[in-house]
Amino acid sequence: MSAPPRVLLADIGGTNARFALADVEAVQPFLADSLREFVVADFPSLADAAKHYLEQTGAVAQNGVFAVAGRVDGDEARITNHPWVISVARTRQALGFDGLLLVNDFAAQAMAVSLLTPSDVVQVGSARWSPAPLTQNRTYAVIGPGTGLGAAGLIIRNGRRYPLETEGGHVSFPPGTPEEIEILQILSSQFGRVSNERLICGPGLVNIHRAVSELAGEDPGPLAPKDITARAAAGDPRCLHALDVFCAVFGAIAGDLVLTLGAWDGVFLAGGLVPKLLPSLQHSGFRQRFEHKGRFSPTMARIPTLANVHPQPGLLGAAAYAVERFGKGQLDLNAAGIPVVA
């Protein structure tokens, strides 16, 4: 009996490259025990890093799904914080693969939602969520603050998953309180147009802290996001207030994304900052501002907000892509605008 098919997965950031395998015939296709992590600077190309993984593990794969932290433009992607330029055709040829799929890392975060279990999420607020089979149509929103602010959707129709990539992080910031109007005025003097990403990401927390300090007549000096969270944990009132503003604004724009996408089945909070800020999110105005949508407030109160705490959401999403592209009943991703060579 032949071994079940394996697909090589990758989650490529500016610093680290994570590889693993997927079994596209399994209910949970991501094979966590196959995970390996390498420093991208140690390899001249993605293909070289992938070859190293296959040689080190002895794994055999004929297809791949690679999620990259950068914009995928047709056949090519550039890593935002690393000089690798990745070509689907050249990488596929170098690895001798039959098929290779290149996707944006936040699109993979969206796809990961379809494979999450209750143990992979932490509920924020009182609205409850339970996974639904792919046979049930669902629409989810995904929003994630990290170095920037990612926003996406996941549409499940007739047993298929369709990720919706957006640039929702660059929507104009909508202040919801008098203080937030003042913060907007301060940030406008610095940036001109102020997007949600100017507030809701790591550097955005610094922007908020500087603005609330300025409103209090203080100069906070140069601080990193970790300095603000550390001082907040130690009880610094200005840093605690900056975190409160951050969480409230985050909740407001997460609710806006739900309304925009019609994501009545839930919103998943992703990104590197979410696990670190989870206690703050749970004890802040996040959920109040999420629900505070005028005539839609009763509807919003029923929509779950869930922090994704899976340790490898990018690889999990790549595994979901692998099932769609290389599993039974393959989805035509070319028709959906996803670059693939197979």
CSV table of all heavy atoms in Angstrom, one decimal, residues 283-306:
chain,number,residue,atom,x,y,z
A,283,HIS,N,-10.2,42.3,29.1
A,283,HIS,CA,-10.6,43.2,30.2
A,283,HIS,C,-10.5,44.6,29.7
A,283,HIS,O,-10.0,45.5,30.5
A,283,HIS,CB,-9.7,42.9,31.4
A,283,HIS,CG,-9.7,41.5,31.9
A,283,HIS,ND1,-8.8,40.6,31.5
A,283,HIS,CD2,-10.6,40.9,32.7
A,283,HIS,CE1,-9.1,39.4,32.1
A,283,HIS,NE2,-10.2,39.6,32.8
A,284,SER,N,-11.0,44.9,28.5
A,284,SER,CA,-11.0,46.2,28.0
A,284,SER,C,-12.3,46.6,27.3
A,284,SER,O,-13.3,45.8,27.4
A,284,SER,CB,-9.8,46.3,26.9
A,284,SER,OG,-10.2,45.6,25.8
A,285,GLY,N,-12.3,47.7,26.6
A,285,GLY,CA,-13.5,48.1,25.9
A,285,GLY,C,-13.6,47.4,24.5
A,285,GLY,O,-14.4,47.9,23.7
A,286,PHE,N,-12.7,46.4,24.2
A,286,PHE,CA,-12.7,45.8,22.9
A,286,PHE,C,-14.1,45.4,22.5
A,286,PHE,O,-14.6,45.7,21.4
A,286,PHE,CB,-11.7,44.6,22.8
A,286,PHE,CG,-11.8,43.9,21.5
A,286,PHE,CD1,-11.0,44.2,20.5
A,286,PHE,CD2,-12.7,42.8,21.4
A,286,PHE,CE1,-11.0,43.5,19.3
A,286,PHE,CE2,-12.7,42.1,20.2
A,286,PHE,CZ,-11.9,42.4,19.1
A,287,ARG,N,-14.7,44.5,23.3
A,287,ARG,CA,-16.0,43.9,22.9
A,287,ARG,C,-17.1,45.0,22.9
A,287,ARG,O,-18.0,44.9,22.0
A,287,ARG,CB,-16.3,42.8,23.9
A,287,ARG,CG,-17.6,42.0,23.5
A,287,ARG,CD,-17.4,41.2,22.3
A,287,ARG,NE,-18.7,40.8,21.7
A,287,ARG,CZ,-18.9,40.0,20.8
A,287,ARG,NH1,-17.9,39.3,20.2
A,287,ARG,NH2,-20.1,39.7,20.3
A,288,GLN,N,-17.1,45.9,23.8
A,288,GLN,CA,-18.1,47.0,23.8
A,288,GLN,C,-18.1,47.8,22.5
A,288,GLN,O,-19.1,48.0,21.9
A,288,GLN,CB,-17.9,47.9,25.0
A,288,GLN,CG,-18.9,49.0,25.1
A,288,GLN,CD,-18.6,50.0,26.2
A,288,GLN,OE1,-17.4,50.0,26.7
A,288,GLN,NE2,-19.6,50.8,26.6
A,289,ARG,N,-16.9,48.2,22.1
A,289,ARG,CA,-16.8,48.9,20.8
A,289,ARG,C,-17.1,48.0,19.6
A,289,ARG,O,-17.6,48.5,18.6
A,289,ARG,CB,-15.4,49.6,20.7
A,289,ARG,CG,-15.2,50.7,21.7
A,289,ARG,CD,-16.0,51.9,21.4
A,289,ARG,NE,-15.5,52.5,20.2
A,289,ARG,CZ,-14.4,53.3,20.1
A,289,ARG,NH1,-13.7,53.6,21.1
A,289,ARG,NH2,-14.0,53.8,18.9
A,290,PHE,N,-16.8,46.8,19.7
A,290,PHE,CA,-17.1,45.8,18.6
A,290,PHE,C,-18.6,45.8,18.4
A,290,PHE,O,-19.1,45.8,17.3
A,290,PHE,CB,-16.6,44.4,19.0
A,290,PHE,CG,-17.0,43.4,18.0
A,290,PHE,CD1,-16.2,43.2,16.8
A,290,PHE,CD2,-18.1,42.6,18.2
A,290,PHE,CE1,-16.6,42.2,15.9
A,290,PHE,CE2,-18.4,41.6,17.3
A,290,PHE,CZ,-17.7,41.4,16.1
A,291,GLU,N,-19.4,45.7,19.5
A,291,GLU,CA,-20.8,45.6,19.4
A,291,GLU,C,-21.5,46.9,19.2
A,291,GLU,O,-22.7,46.9,18.7
A,291,GLU,CB,-21.4,45.0,20.7
A,291,GLU,CG,-20.9,43.6,21.0
A,291,GLU,CD,-21.4,43.0,22.3
A,291,GLU,OE1,-22.4,43.6,22.8
A,291,GLU,OE2,-20.9,42.0,22.8
A,292,HIS,N,-20.9,48.0,19.5
A,292,HIS,CA,-21.5,49.3,19.4
A,292,HIS,C,-21.7,49.8,18.0
A,292,HIS,O,-20.9,50.7,17.5
A,292,HIS,CB,-20.7,50.3,20.3
A,292,HIS,CG,-21.4,51.7,20.4
A,292,HIS,ND1,-22.7,51.8,21.0
A,292,HIS,CD2,-21.0,52.9,20.1
A,292,HIS,CE1,-23.0,53.1,21.0
A,292,HIS,NE2,-22.0,53.8,20.4
A,293,LYS,N,-22.7,49.3,17.3
A,293,LYS,CA,-22.9,49.6,15.9
A,293,LYS,C,-24.3,50.1,15.6
A,293,LYS,O,-24.9,49.7,14.6
A,293,LYS,CB,-22.5,48.4,15.0
A,293,LYS,CG,-21.1,47.9,15.1
A,293,LYS,CD,-20.1,49.0,14.7
A,293,LYS,CE,-18.6,48.5,14.9
A,293,LYS,NZ,-17.7,49.6,14.6
A,294,GLY,N,-24.8,50.9,16.5
A,294,GLY,CA,-26.1,51.5,16.2
A,294,GLY,C,-27.2,50.4,16.1
A,294,GLY,O,-27.4,49.6,16.9
A,295,ARG,N,-28.0,50.5,15.0
A,295,ARG,CA,-29.1,49.6,14.8
A,295,ARG,C,-28.6,48.1,14.7
A,295,ARG,O,-29.4,47.2,14.8
A,295,ARG,CB,-29.9,50.0,13.6
A,295,ARG,CG,-30.7,51.3,13.8
A,295,ARG,CD,-31.2,51.8,12.5
A,295,ARG,NE,-30.2,52.4,11.7
A,295,ARG,CZ,-30.4,52.9,10.4
A,295,ARG,NH1,-31.6,52.9,9.9
A,295,ARG,NH2,-29.4,53.4,9.8
A,296,PHE,N,-27.3,47.9,14.4
A,296,PHE,CA,-26.8,46.6,14.3
A,296,PHE,C,-26.3,46.0,15.6
A,296,PHE,O,-25.7,44.9,15.6
A,296,PHE,CB,-25.8,46.5,13.1
A,296,PHE,CG,-26.4,46.2,11.8
A,296,PHE,CD1,-26.9,47.3,11.0
A,296,PHE,CD2,-26.5,44.9,11.3
A,296,PHE,CE1,-27.4,47.1,9.8
A,296,PHE,CE2,-27.1,44.7,10.1
A,296,PHE,CZ,-27.5,45.8,9.3
A,297,SER,N,-26.3,46.8,16.6
A,297,SER,CA,-25.7,46.4,17.9
A,297,SER,C,-26.3,45.0,18.4
A,297,SER,O,-25.5,44.1,18.8
A,297,SER,CB,-25.9,47.4,19.0
A,297,SER,OG,-25.2,48.6,18.7
A,298,PRO,N,-27.6,44.7,18.3
A,298,PRO,CA,-28.1,43.4,18.7
A,298,PRO,C,-27.5,42.3,17.9
A,298,PRO,O,-27.2,41.2,18.4
A,298,PRO,CB,-29.6,43.5,18.6
A,298,PRO,CG,-29.9,45.0,18.7
A,298,PRO,CD,-28.7,45.7,18.0
A,299,THR,N,-27.3,42.5,16.6
A,299,THR,CA,-26.7,41.5,15.7
A,299,THR,C,-25.3,41.3,16.1
A,299,THR,O,-24.8,40.1,16.2
A,299,THR,CB,-26.8,41.9,14.3
A,299,THR,OG1,-28.2,42.1,13.9
A,299,THR,CG2,-26.2,40.9,13.4
A,300,MET,N,-24.5,42.4,16.3
A,300,MET,CA,-23.1,42.2,16.7
A,300,MET,C,-22.9,41.5,18.0
A,300,MET,O,-21.9,40.8,18.2
A,300,MET,CB,-22.5,43.6,16.7
A,300,MET,CG,-22.5,44.4,15.4
A,300,MET,SD,-21.7,43.6,14.1
A,300,MET,CE,-20.0,43.8,14.6
A,301,ALA,N,-23.9,41.7,18.9
A,301,ALA,CA,-23.7,41.0,20.2
A,301,ALA,C,-23.7,39.5,20.1
A,301,ALA,O,-23.2,38.8,21.0
A,301,ALA,CB,-24.8,41.4,21.1
A,302,ARG,N,-24.2,39.0,19.0
A,302,ARG,CA,-24.3,37.5,18.8
A,302,ARG,C,-23.1,37.0,18.0
A,302,ARG,O,-23.0,35.8,17.9
A,302,ARG,CB,-25.6,37.1,18.1
A,302,ARG,CG,-26.9,37.5,18.8
A,302,ARG,CD,-28.1,36.9,18.2
A,302,ARG,NE,-28.3,37.4,16.8
A,302,ARG,CZ,-29.1,38.4,16.6
A,302,ARG,NH1,-29.7,39.1,17.6
A,302,ARG,NH2,-29.3,38.8,15.3
A,303,ILE,N,-22.2,37.8,17.6
A,303,ILE,CA,-21.1,37.4,16.7
A,303,ILE,C,-19.9,37.1,17.6
A,303,ILE,O,-19.4,38.0,18.3
A,303,ILE,CB,-20.8,38.4,15.6
A,303,ILE,CG1,-22.0,38.6,14.7
A,303,ILE,CG2,-19.6,38.1,14.8
A,303,ILE,CD1,-21.9,39.7,13.7
A,304,PRO,N,-19.3,36.0,17.5
A,304,PRO,CA,-18.1,35.7,18.3
A,304,PRO,C,-16.9,36.4,17.8
A,304,PRO,O,-16.7,36.6,16.6
A,304,PRO,CB,-18.0,34.1,18.2
A,304,PRO,CG,-18.7,33.8,16.9
A,304,PRO,CD,-19.8,34.8,16.7
A,305,THR,N,-16.0,36.8,18.8
A,305,THR,CA,-14.7,37.3,18.5
A,305,THR,C,-13.7,36.3,19.2
A,305,THR,O,-13.8,36.1,20.4
A,305,THR,CB,-14.5,38.7,19.0
A,305,THR,OG1,-15.0,38.8,20.4
A,305,THR,CG2,-15.3,39.7,18.2
A,306,LEU,N,-12.8,35.8,18.4
A,306,LEU,CA,-12.0,34.7,18.8
A,306,LEU,C,-10.5,35.0,18.5
A,306,LEU,O,-10.1,35.3,17.4
A,306,LEU,CB,-12.4,33.4,18.1
A,306,LEU,CG,-13.9,33.1,18.4
A,306,LEU,CD1,-14.5,32.5,17.1
A,306,LEU,CD2,-14.0,32.1,19.5
